[in-house]
Amino acid sequence: MIQIRTDLAIENREIYKEKNDGEVPGVEVEEDSGDNYTVTRVKILDEIGEKHLGKSKGIYITIDVPKLKNTDEDLKDEISQLVAKEIKGMDIVKQNTKTLIVGLGNWNVTPDALGPKVVERVLVTRQFFIAYNKEEDETVANVAAISPGVMGLTGIETGEIIKGIVEKTKPDLVIAIDALASRKMERVSTTIQISDTGINPGSGIGNKRIGLNNNYLGVPVIAVGVPTVVDAVTMVNDTMDLIIGSMKNVSKVGTEFYSTLEQVGNEEKYHLIKEVLEPFMPNVVVTPKEIDSIIDDLSIIIGNGLNMALHHGIDLKDVNRYIR
Amino acid sequence: MIQIRTDLAIENREIYKEKNDGEVPGVEVEEDSGDNYTVTRVKILDEIGEKHLGKSKGIYITIDVPKLKNTDEDLKDEISQLVAKEIKGMDIVKQNTKTLIVGLGNWNVTPDALGPKVVERVLVTRQFFIAYNKEEDETVANVAAISPGVMGLTGIETGEIIKGIVEKTKPDLVIAIDALASRKMERVSTTIQISDTGINPGSGIGNKRIGLNNNYLGVPVIAVGVPTVVDAVTMVNDTMDLIIGSMKNVSKVGTEFYSTLEQVGNEEKYHLIKEVLEPFMPNVVVTPKEIDSIIDDLSIIIGNGLNMALHHGIDLKDVNRYIR
Amino acid sequence: MIQIRTDLAIENREIYKEKNDGEVPGVEVEEDSGDNYTVTRVKILDEIGEKHLGKSKGIYITIDVPKLKNTDEDLKDEISQLVAKEIKGMDIVKQNTKTLIVGLGNWNVTPDALGPKVVERVLVTRQFFIAYNKEEDETVANVAAISPGVMGLTGIETGEIIKGIVEKTKPDLVIAIDALASRKMERVSTTIQISDTGINPGSGIGNKRIGLNNNYLGVPVIAVGVPTVVDAVTMVNDTMDLIIGSMKNVSKVGTEFYSTLEQVGNEEKYHLIKEVLEPFMPNVVVTPKEIDSIIDDLSIIIGNGLNMALHHGIDLKDVNRYIR
Amino acid sequence: MIQIRTDLAIENREIYKEKNDGEVPGVEVEEDSGDNYTVTRVKILDEIGEKHLGKSKGIYITIDVPKLKNTDEDLKDEISQLVAKEIKGMDIVKQNTKTLIVGLGNWNVTPDALGPKVVERVLVTRQFFIAYNKEEDETVANVAAISPGVMGLTGIETGEIIKGIVEKTKPDLVIAIDALASRKMERVSTTIQISDTGINPGSGIGNKRIGLNNNYLGVPVIAVGVPTVVDAVTMVNDTMDLIIGSMKNVSKVGTEFYSTLEQVGNEEKYHLIKEVLEPFMPNVVVTPKEIDSIIDDLSIIIGNGLNMALHHGIDLKDVNRYIR
């Protein structure tokens, strides 16, 4: 079982492969790539795969776009389209699917505000279907959206709020957007994970205790997440590896120390660092300086992606027009 | 039946009394006053009262504080205490009452944002009762709070969201905060209405179609509202009355014109003005210039009032401390 | 001299023409129109024109777009281009003009926040010219931008702040954006006024005491303004005219009363209404309900227009990309 | 010369003392403490002190309040009073001192928004002195306040904006508020530094190139700063020291490696880490998860402190009333 904190299936796979040869058992992997991106689809097929990756059975699509941080608007449009294509490829969204979009996270904490920001940017239409008493429309699908807040703000489990709304409004599909934690700073704001497994307890940068998944809500749940933070322990851990690795060839003592550390094992080392760090820095996050504008950009990319994936009459030409 | 747009029972009573002699049948009125305020408790006793005032049976407490607009902090504290006292006086809140506070309205539209702002300022504790698995506490009561947004933002009826949450979290009481419309500009931001009838369809400055009341939610609902706008038709109507009234004694023609207008009748005149105005100004609101800071001040007064009314261990000394 | 409160030269002209035959002396007017808009260029030629319109010598371009309130994105793009074209047509902006954009108004008061919102949306480049020690660039011009706040927030006259910055940074041109008052609700959010006279004391919806003009700042000042409020007195005044006008043919008394009122004269009537209203509603503004999103849309239109007018390498294809 | 990144004189002194015995030459230190805080006054007396601490001559008062992170409101009031007392103790503020408060930093970047947030909370009065043409008042002093933004937003050097305003408004004193970087996570949000030296180029978490000091502005400048971030390199560096320190006694290899590292020297090690880290994480900051509410709390403490320090008629009883 993997202990290092990450919400990305692709990172759990990397950790597995650092220690073992060959692909994770019970897991199938598919890759696609363009000039600017790589798409990796990790399919966890069975309980063996679940156990090895510490994640539920299902598909985890990771879109890696190293240059996403730069403000190249054409690239952003390209990635919006890719998000739409991958969601459509899951074969859950049909022309008249009724969708509830849920923006998870705390709007007062910048790196946790991705979900609420995406909700502000999607085209909400359910009210018109009700007002005109329609079941379907030529251009748009029936979409509702809410940001339920976090338990620290409302006193209520997010899952309970959403379950109540699902029972009342009976959507065919829930799409939940959340900010994630990654173990690598270079993934922050450059990786988008889309999964058909929903969101499970303990994932995301807040602490959810109830899962948002088919099992609990009774409808399919697509989760869309982007890493916006790295936890401090992970960062120190990875940097020490880099430092000591770079020293290993410099001095004999370095080499010996490195092999000592290597024997310690990753998990043990992680916990050692955690123990040392914790008294000095509880609840520290590591985040890019310009996280506010990164969250803004990402919310446009994902908002556009969702608008194109859900509303059959909206394409790239229109899509920036629906974004506020 | 009263047609003129107002959410205040006290104004419906005024309109009745403008046309008739004596108190409204089926209604009992009680007044209290201090140096700085008047409290009027309008009790609608039966269906006759309901019909005459166009409002549901129950008590409507109006706190009028003409000087509230000025930033006198002692006065604000005094009114917070009065809000707490009047809520307690309804005899619905007990020491261990579990309360769900609901902030109605659209946070993007300043005069409609009162509810969401109050929710930001109340002390939410339900998560601690869950975390420590407690039923009661010496100092604080079990309070949750949410701002569900409006249908234009979420695509979902506010009432459905709240009903879902009530079913999941089973509070003993809902307190709903909303911005209201008044027929008099001088009431905007100086009057607080507290009622044990909840909120009924069509009231508030947005358009709710489902009521938030005991009948629908299955628990008592206290509504707290403050007028933040006057609608344009009402304002023109009232001003014309003033103008023409002031001309009536000046010239013979004025007197005649006035008596012509008087014969027209209030409702007819209102509709005449509405007809004339509407093509030129749909959806116009009349609001004080400094509405942003007024909403801020009111949210503190009401937030403090609720904190003192609900949490038995919190008094005036503490109360500004819980406000962000 | 016109007393009725308006910041629009075109309205002053209308008022003149309501009372007199023919064009205002000392004024030249030019009209252009498209399917969706009318452009009126009022040129005040001399002191006679100044006196009649109560405004400084110069050109006042008014773009009227009755359908602007509807969220038609193509129309918005069209109007952005029109704004750019009209600004370029003033022949003040050259390829290497150094511009300081000033967003006037109070960001805490929604209808007054247009200027600060536009400043958030323009492409600011001066820092790069400094960093790379360049005088010119192939694609972009040297643009700085600031929102100085209002005196109630800073304690400092806006004019003094801007004068200080102009002395330090020596721009060739100042463009000042401000929210205006109109006498007609139908102009709110559908009219854009562009003028080469700068901003003069007392105009705008706040009260500036120092002008932002060539005379005070020592460089040309283009003012861009949009009416976002109507004052309550104006609205009541205009509505009474409509009402009484509609009654005039109905009854003999109405006719007489109307002619009495007509004899009163516009200014006198305005002051009568003001006197009656003021005790009841100081500082009231009349504004569309959805003013928050209107301000957002307008800031994009004007921001885009400025980006195209100033930066020679930016055209419509790019322009939505520079807007956050 | 100290290379490790910190804006706190007290940390420069710590670094000196880690390497040397005894107090820094050219420096005098005074300590005071209460139950909840320590006040350290580092006086840099001459050029020798300047050289050793890498800071300008003057007094650097550090208020350390380890428990400040907890939301104890009485403690916050106590620290507000302490801030006021220490500012008054500098003997720069007299009863009729005209002050310009400057909130440095970028309001869009949470950990950099301390200055602008404090500006929102101070009592600004200069406009009344102008309106009533007064030179002095029994209760309040003449205070103006502005947040000039950062160069990335305005294209203008902050220093130039402030210099322009100082020339126009001629204050007796400038107080500049800024977010700082610390080398220790435990100082973030628990330490307040007050200095009579103003702000010098390169300090603060943004990069100022012009100093805000008596030399440049021509009036005394008090700087108030709070560390809100630690840079990632510093954090890794300090943690590695802790880790390796804790391993040194465990194994012989550890001991040897440690002594190798010790020989490397602090600066060299810092640069080594920087070199290794930079390609992977440019512009990373380390900040507490709840930084948004921490900034809010600090802005109240400092806002209250300034209000009490500057306005002779305001004491603790009033002070929370002036805070929005």
Side-chain angles (χ1 to χ4, degrees), chain C residues 185-204:
Chain C
M185 186 49 69
E186 69 261 36
R187 279 235 170 73
V188 166
S189 83
T190 64
T191 292
I192 300 168
Q193 176 175 273
I194 306 167
S195 154
D196 65 357
T197 58
I199 287 177
N200 293 295
S203 61

Side-chain angles (χ1 to χ4, degrees), chain B residues 56-255:
Chain B
S56 307
K57 212 162 65 175
I59 185 162
Y60 299 82
I61 300 168
T62 308
I63 301 175
D64 274 311
V65 197
K67 292 187 211 145
L68 198 56
K69 248 179 262 193
N70 319 337
T71 41
D72 176 337
E73 301 292 333
D74 289 321
L75 180 54
K76 284 178 190 164
D77 284 351
E78 189 185 351
I79 303 308
S80 288
Q81 284 184 301
L82 193 55
V83 167
K85 191 186 137 211
E86 292 296 331
I87 289 175
K88 283 178 179 171
M90 285 178 159
D91 217 31
I92 300 173
V93 179
K94 317 285 177 198
Q95 178 147 342
N96 297 315
T97 298
K98 293 180 191 168
T99 304
L100 172 64
I101 296 174
V102 176
L104 298 170
N106 185 344
W107 44 76
N108 292 332
V109 174
T110 312
D112 200 22
L114 178 69
K117 286 260 182 184
V118 169
V119 160
E120 282 175 26
R121 294 177 187 283
V122 291
L123 182 62
V124 169
T125 56
R126 185 175 174 273
Q127 68 274 33
F128 304 119
F129 283 81
I130 292 175
Y132 299 108
N133 203 13
K134 286 175 85 168
E135 275 302 304
E136 37 189 285
D137 180 84
E138 284 162 37
T139 328
V140 295
N142 184 323
V143 172
I146 194 163
S147 296
V150 294
M151 203 173 180
L153 294 174
T154 61
I156 313 168
E157 281 265 10
T158 307
E160 287 185 306
I161 298 173
I162 300 308
K163 175 83 165 167
I165 294 171
V166 166
E167 284 173 10
K168 295 291 158 220
T169 66
K170 303 198 189 314
D172 305 316
L173 169 66
V174 167
I175 299 183
I177 321 298
D178 204 6
L180 305 177
S182 164
R183 65 187 282 243
K184 294 195 178 164
M185 186 48 69
E186 69 261 36
R187 279 236 170 72
V188 166
S189 83
T190 64
T191 292
I192 300 167
Q193 176 175 271
I194 306 167
S195 155
D196 63 359
T197 59
I199 286 178
N200 293 297
S203 61
I205 71 170
N207 290 314
K208 285 103 201 165
R209 280 176 294 182
I210 297 178
L212 284 182
N213 48 33
N214 200 332
N215 190 33
Y216 179 66
L217 295 181
V219 295
V221 180
I222 295 177
V224 180
V226 177
T228 61
V229 299
V230 171
D231 87 316
V233 181
T234 304
M235 192 193 73
V236 171
N237 184 72
D238 290 358
T239 316
M240 275 188 63
D241 283 0
L242 288 168
I243 301 283
I244 294 166
S246 84
M247 285 178 127
K248 139 169 124 169
N249 309 310
V250 178
S251 75
K252 192 167 151 290
V253 180
T255 317

Side-chain angles (χ1 to χ4, degrees), chain C residues 12 182 221 253 267 276 308:
Chain C
N12 287 341
S182 164
V221 180
V253 178
E267 283 164 51
V276 172
M308 287 189 280

Side-chain angles (χ1 to χ4, degrees), chain C residues 8-15 40 42 62 64 187 191 193:
Chain C
L8 297 172
I10 202 176
E11 294 194 337
N12 287 341
R13 181 189 169 227
E14 281 167 9
I15 295 167
T40 313
V42 174
T62 309
D64 274 311
R187 279 235 170 73
T191 292
Q193 176 175 273

